[in-house]
Amino acid sequence: MKKELKFGIIGTGWPGQQHAIALAAIPNVQLRSCADTNSERLQTFVETYKPESSFEDYQELLRDRDLDAAIICLPNFLHFPASLATLEAGKHVFCEKPPTMNAAEMKVLRDEAATRGLVYFFGRQFRFTPAVRTARDVIAKGRLGKIYRARATWIRSRGIPAGIGLWFTDKNRSGGGALIDIGVHALDTAWYLMGSPRPTSISAKVFRNFAHLVNVPIFDVEDEAHALIRFANDAIVELETCWAANLTDDTPVGPKWVGRESNNCILFGTKGTLRLKPLTLFADDNGQLATVPLEPRYGENSFEMQLRNFADAIRGEAPPINDAEQAFELMEMIDGIYASSELGREVPVA
Ligand SMILES: NC(=O)c1ccc[n+]([C@@H]2O[C@H](COP(=O)([O-])OP(=O)(O)OC[C@H]3O[C@@H](n4cnc5c(N)ncnc54)[C@H](O)[C@@H]3O)[C@@H](O)[C@H]2O)c1
């Protein structure tokens, strides 16, 4: 029988709740504790998911000698200090996206986890969705040939988030806007499906045009970002992301609070092109372009599959799919996009 692992959830908003639901479905893991400075949210979370203990101060949660790992679901500016404190307490780390506010912070966490022999894992449940896992299988079979280009998109017409304390639009607490919030998901999906090639240079432009749509005290982040990223294997990613824009009617209507929305990834290969939603392969068939619908072959909950992989990594039974080195390279790309936009030219990725 596998050793039971004990987890603590820090931050009890939507992602914290998804992780609690996922833990309940996995054998040999326990939701041991939770922490949140918002006592109302904490209380509701305790009543719903029934951890053994709860704290307003996450440092107290980390003092539990029997705790194996913390799942960090805090506002972005707390990802680095909370992840570091978790590692220093000798616990494994699962931290929600974005891994940190920048690559320099992520480098410290990567090195600290390696020195201590602990697992660092960043939250990216989309890597575990049925469509992405099926796409990985199709790519592994060589049906796309060489992937030379990907188009990564997450656009919304009216979807600017706020967060408890209105932190999403405040650069000091978020690290950025649409790019670091939803663009990071879109970019990572494309990059992961391409086999995580080494980024070499970036040309990008970010915009802030729609701050007037929300009533917040601070709005000093971008609401839109566009980037062209070059990789060492000669491939490129074109990234398009926005929280708000006057989108055209070919973008489908999404949930009420986001207006129109599209979140998709298209991978162009020498033998075939793969679109994630709906999952379809467009491939050459004796000189004609054929459309091949693909059935996603996996039915599992992506948050659950993600935490299963984290638990297996802690037990040394599988490598972590969302590992610290990839978190670092992802943050290097985010840094590069902001730097290129600021400088108005293409920048190398260090
Ligand atoms: N994977 C996903 O799809 C996904 C979805 C939503 C959010 N997220 C990420 O999860 C994180 C949290 O986002 P959110 O939307 O839940 O934000 P939120 O503001 O709604 O919730 C953050 C929670 O952290 C608590 N908190 C703040 N400071 C704290 C502290 N010092 N100690 C303990 N608790 C503290 C707040 O009270 C709140 O309950 C963000 O980094 C976001 O990017 C990921």
Side-chain angles (χ1 to χ4, degrees):
M1 173 142 150
K2 289 185 177 189
K3 173 186 180 280
E4 184 173 76
L5 297 174
K6 296 180 185 354
F7 291 84
I9 293 181
I10 303 176
T12 60
W14 184 83
Q17 294 161 28
Q18 301 316 302
H19 296 307
I21 294 166
L23 285 178
I26 304 174
N28 304 315
V29 302
Q30 186 205 345
L31 173 58
R32 165 91 160 178
S33 52
C34 63
D36 200 302
T37 45
N38 182 314
S39 51
E40 232 170 86
R41 268 200 172 179
L42 188 63
Q43 184 65 26
T44 308
F45 187 91
V46 168
E47 283 163 13
T48 312
Y49 303 106
K50 308 200 173 7
E52 278 176 13
S53 49
S54 63
F55 309 92
E56 292 200 0
D57 178 355
Y58 73 75
Q59 297 283 1
E60 280 186 52
L61 175 148
L62 294 175
R63 278 196 275 276
D64 177 356
R65 293 177 60 160
D66 292 334
L67 192 77
D68 292 289
I71 299 175
I72 297 162
C73 308
L74 296 171
N76 298 354
F77 73 106
L78 294 170
H79 288 189
F80 175 68
S83 296
L84 189 59
T86 303
L87 294 171
E88 286 172 348
K91 322 285 186 205
H92 304 280
V93 171
F94 177 107
C95 183
E96 263 304 336
K97 49 60 58 174
T100 47
M101 303 261 275
N102 53 55
E105 289 181 347
M106 193 50 233
K107 190 168 189 283
V108 173
L109 297 180
R110 180 195 68 187
D111 295 349
E112 190 68 24
T115 304
R116 291 175 179 270
L118 293 166
V119 174
Y120 171 91
F121 195 105
F122 68 105
R124 262 289 299 147
Q125 76 274 12
F126 288 101
R127 289 185 175 202
F128 297 84
T129 60
V132 169
R133 294 171 72 205
T134 307
R136 284 274 290 193
D137 292 349
V138 170
I139 292 164
K141 285 190 186 126
R143 292 181 73 183
L144 271 60
K146 176 181 161 42
I147 300 170
Y148 58 88
R149 173 164 85 97
R151 194 188 301 151
T153 316
W154 194 338
I155 52 174
R156 295 173 180 163
S157 66
R158 294 290 184 271
I160 301 173
I164 298 275
L166 308 177
W167 61 269
F168 271 95
T169 52
D170 174 359
K171 194 170 173 67
N172 282 332
R173 290 183 291 164
S174 61
L179 171 66
I180 206 165
D181 179 35
I182 53 176
V184 71
H185 274 303
L187 171 58
D188 183 70
T189 297
W191 184 55
Y192 174 63
L193 288 171
M194 293 166 84
S196 309
R198 175 80 197 139
T200 53
S201 67
I202 296 178
S203 182
K205 174 80 182 124
V206 308
F207 298 94
R208 181 168 62 249
N209 290 318
F210 296 93
H212 59 276
L213 292 177
V214 287
N215 184 15
V216 292
I218 302 174
F219 199 133
D220 58 357
V221 296
E222 81 288 351
D223 48 37
E224 180 160 350
H226 298 263
L228 189 145
I229 306 175
R230 294 175 194 269
F231 295 94
N233 67 353
D234 209 31
I236 59 166
V237 163
E238 299 156 283
L239 171 69
E240 178 188 17
T241 189
C242 59
W243 277 340
N246 296 319
L247 299 176
T248 50
D249 62 5
D250 51 348
T251 305
V253 174
K256 195 159 187 274
W257 80 277
V258 303
R260 294 189 177 275
E261 180 171 49
S262 174
N263 171 10
N264 214 337
C265 175
I266 305 177
L267 301 147
F268 296 86
T270 50
K271 289 189 186 164
T273 288
L274 187 140
R275 182 187 58 206
L276 220 47
K277 293 179 189 172
L279 190 61
T280 313
L281 180 67
F282 303 87
D284 183 73
D285 182 8
N286 288 323
Q288 299 296 313
L289 185 61
T291 302
V292 187
L294 299 170
E295 273 304 307
R297 278 204 300 280
Y298 302 90
E300 301 92 341
N301 174 308
S302 59
F303 276 91
E304 183 189 326
M305 294 313 298
Q306 177 174 238
L307 283 183
R308 279 180 186 269
N309 178 238
F310 179 50
D312 287 347
I314 292 172
R315 293 194 184 97
E317 292 171 358
I321 289 176
N322 304 357
D323 70 20
E325 181 56 33
Q326 291 190 10
F328 172 65
E329 290 192 23
L330 197 54
M331 290 317 302
E332 281 192 308
M333 287 189 270
I334 300 291
D335 282 1
I337 292 171
Y338 287 129
S340 168
S341 184
E342 177 98 23
L343 295 167
R345 60 171 169 79
E346 185 160 2
V347 296
V349 178

